[in-house]
């Protein structure tokens, strides 16, 4: 599927604090923890638990969330299909949408029981 400017804008305006509990609920149902969710988010964005809580309290949008993030240099290694969109085919102009799908891919992998060292991608040497 192709991302549209409208779809990108919808995701950009969503409040991260309204989605975070949904991520957490999904993971806890699958036997994972808040600490693991926060570890994945920290790897991807650079936000530690304190900063993450500040952003949640501030009710930042996904656009602001990703603008403030220091996206991990290995984020390009996050590939695959999420919600019908192939991450690596999402155009550069829809950066917020791509980052959101990358985060969801990491959370999907965590929910499916993938090992943390596989989720937190490293370049092959």
């Amino acid at each position: 599927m192709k991302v549209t400017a409208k779809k990108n804008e919808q995701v950009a305006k969503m409040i991260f604090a309204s989605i975070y509990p949904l991520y957490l609920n999904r993971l806890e149902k699958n036997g994972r923890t808040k600490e693991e969710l926060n570890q994945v988010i920290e790897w991807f964005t650079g936000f530690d638990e304190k900063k993450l809580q500040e952003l949640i309290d501030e009710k930042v949008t996904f656009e602001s969330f990703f603008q403030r993030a220091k996206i991990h240099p290995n984020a390009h290694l996050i590939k695959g299909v999420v919600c019908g969109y192939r991450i690596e085919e999402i155009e550069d102009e829809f950066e917020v949408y791509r980052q959101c799908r990358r985060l969801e891919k990491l959370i999907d992998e965590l929910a499916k029981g993938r090992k943390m060292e596989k989720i937190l991608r490293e370049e092959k040497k």
Side-chain angles (χ1 to χ4, degrees):
M1 292 187 340
K2 283 280 190 205
V3 179
T4 62
K6 182 181 177 195
K7 191 75 174 161
N8 189 63
E9 191 65 22
Q10 284 175 322
V11 169
K13 288 190 165 135
M14 287 176 17
I15 304 298
F16 178 77
S18 67
I19 305 301
Y20 180 83
L22 302 176
Y23 291 155
L24 182 57
N25 189 31
R26 175 168 182 229
L27 291 173
E28 287 178 339
K29 276 196 242 175
N30 287 290
R32 300 313 280 254
T33 65
K34 180 178 183 176
E35 290 71 27
E36 288 173 308
L37 171 59
N38 290 348
Q39 183 182 354
V40 166
I41 292 172
E42 184 171 354
W43 176 87
F44 185 55
T45 64
F47 299 139
D48 62 18
E49 203 163 329
K50 183 175 179 282
K51 183 62 179 175
L52 188 58
Q53 191 57 54
E54 286 173 17
L55 295 169
I56 289 169
D57 293 344
E58 198 182 316
K59 294 188 174 15
V60 297
T61 61
F62 269 99
E63 181 173 37
S64 178
F65 181 81
F66 287 120
Q67 281 173 345
R68 298 179 193 189
K70 290 181 179 68
I71 299 298
H72 196 282
N74 290 345
H76 68 280
L77 298 173
I78 304 167
K79 296 181 169 140
V81 177
V82 178
C83 299
Y85 294 91
R86 179 157 289 286
I87 294 169
E88 55 273 28
E89 292 175 2
I90 298 173
E91 295 90 353
D92 290 344
E93 66 186 290
F94 304 126
E95 185 64 20
V96 173
Y97 195 83
R98 180 173 40 209
Q99 299 302 19
C100 191
R101 291 296 175 221
R102 283 177 171 163
L103 179 58
E104 287 174 5
K105 180 70 174 171
L106 296 174
I107 292 166
D108 277 355
E109 291 175 354
L110 192 56
K112 290 176 180 165
R114 195 163 195 215
K115 288 184 172 24
M116 193 61 81
E117 56 270 14
K118 295 257 191 220
I119 296 169
L120 309 182
R121 288 148 171 86
E122 293 295 326
E123 290 274 11
K124 294 206 170 44
K125 303 230 181 323

